[in-house]
Every structure is written in C-alpha cells, then in structure tokens.
Amino acid sequence: MSPRRAAALRGGDQSLRDHLIAAARRLVARRGTVGLTVRDIAREAQVADGVLYNHFADKEELLAYALHAHVRAAEAALEDAPPRPGAGTVAANLRTYLSRALALHAAILPAMAGVFTQPGVLARLVELPNPMGGGAGLRVELAGYVRAEQELGRVAPDASAEAVAALVVGVCHDLVLSHLLDPAGPAPEPSPELVDDLVRTLLRGVTPPAG
C-alpha cells in the first residue's frame, strides 16, 4: 500500500485499486472519458498522480475498469428486475426486457459515447467480461429467457431465441447510434407506445393471418 494512502481509505476495507476504480467511475459518470487525465483521477481519489501506475498498466486500463463498473452500476440501478420464465405473461416479460435494455443504453450513453474515439480504452474494455446480463450480455440473457419459456410451452418451439434477442438489442443499438451520429438530437428515450408496438410485432410477426 502506498504511504500516501487516500484519506477515504483510512479505517475502511476498500483496497486502493478499488478506490481508484471508484473515483474514476464517478468522473466517468459525470464527464465521460474524453479529456480525463491522470491528474483528474488522482485528485478525485485524493492520491498522488503516480499512484495509478502502481495498480494499472496505464490510464486506459483504469478507464476501462471504471466504464465496466459504471455499466454494472447502471444496470443494478434499474427499477425492474429481469423477468423469470413462467412468471407473468410472455408479452409483459418481453416488454420489461425491452424497457430495461432501452433504459440501460440511455443511462450509459453519455459515458460510452467518447470510447469509440479512444481505441486504447475500447481495446481494454473488450478484454473484460461483459458487464451486462449477469456477465453474459443482454443478448445471451434474453435468448436464455426465451428458450426457458419454450421449454414451458409458452413460446412456439420453432421460434428463434437468438433472433428475438438480436431484434431487441438491435433496437437499442439503433437508438443509441442515432444519438451518437446526432448528439444535438433527443436522447434515446422511446415512448411506451413504441415499446408496445415492438413487443406486439415480436409476438405476432408481420405475416397476415391465414384465411
């Protein structure tokens, strides 16, 4: 442990490494990653500038861990928990999944927007476990839910769980990408009516009824 241990750590159980990640996460949540310096992070953590390099290879590695922690915290703060197979209705559960995914993407967009201009941070981030969906990612989590509902007989056996998951996550990516291309435009906050329309389309498809 550094002799210049952060004042926030005195008497606590948090490691200095975790303290640095927490400090960087607060900055990322407030400002994003663009323009953050080692000095900014050190001041937020109340440590000397060089302490960072005792625990991370470089600033990019620390920012990747901070982003990872930020996304996990944003998902944990969502009001609705992921639905359980067999509970409620499939329509309501898909609506919850879609609403959760949209809310999560909207919450992390400000922090993630600048990552795509920082290849060093992005490369470090993709080396870490997926921060969403319990470590599996949203697509895998949702596909697993759909397959579980198939086993219960509540989803058609010939439905593609992977296709459902790809469509739901794809909607989120479309809204996020639109905002990244036009930052001055409205934030990706779709109306409840759009969510209902998307769920209805997932459940019924686009083929007209026979007869």
Side-chain angles (χ1 to χ4, degrees):
M1 183 69 71
S2 167
R4 296 191 62 179
R5 190 182 188 194
L9 288 177
R10 294 169 188 161
D13 295 328
Q14 188 180 44
S15 70
L16 182 52
R17 188 176 189 277
D18 289 342
H19 176 70
L20 289 168
I21 293 173
R25 182 175 73 82
R26 291 194 298 271
L27 288 174
V28 165
R30 294 199 302 264
R31 298 171 42 183
T33 59
V34 176
L36 279 185
T37 65
V38 170
R39 178 167 293 184
D40 292 332
I41 299 170
R43 286 179 176 174
E44 179 72 18
Q46 300 179 36
V47 298
D49 294 0
V51 168
L52 181 154
Y53 298 104
N54 294 333
H55 300 273
F56 301 93
D58 47 36
K59 181 185 73 173
E60 286 72 23
E61 183 183 18
L62 172 54
L63 288 180
Y65 275 97
L67 280 165
H68 191 273
H70 175 64
V71 174
R72 290 183 62 189
E75 185 178 33
L78 296 177
E79 293 183 1
D80 296 321
R84 291 180 289 106
T89 65
V90 173
N93 292 344
L94 287 176
R95 189 175 295 110
T96 297
Y97 264 109
L98 183 54
S99 298
R100 276 174 52 85
L102 290 169
L104 178 58
H105 280 77
I108 65 177
L109 176 60
M112 296 297 295
V115 176
F116 301 101
T117 63
Q118 301 174 83
V121 177
L122 185 59
R124 297 280 190 172
L125 184 61
V126 298
E127 293 174 353
L128 299 177
N130 196 307
M132 297 181 282
L138 295 181
R139 286 179 63 168
V140 173
E141 180 186 48
L142 178 52
Y145 162 77
V146 175
R147 283 192 292 271
E149 293 286 23
Q150 285 177 314
E151 294 176 0
L152 295 172
R154 304 210 308 167
V155 169
D158 60 345
S160 170
E162 287 72 22
V164 172
L167 288 169
V168 169
V169 176
V171 169
C172 301
H173 289 176
D174 175 68
L175 292 169
V176 169
L177 180 60
S178 298
H179 190 70
L180 288 177
L181 295 174
D182 182 18
E189 298 178 356
S191 66
E193 291 76 17
L194 175 59
V195 173
D196 288 341
D197 287 342
L198 289 167
V199 170
R200 190 178 303 112
T201 300
L202 281 172
L203 289 174
R204 299 180 183 176
V206 296
T207 302

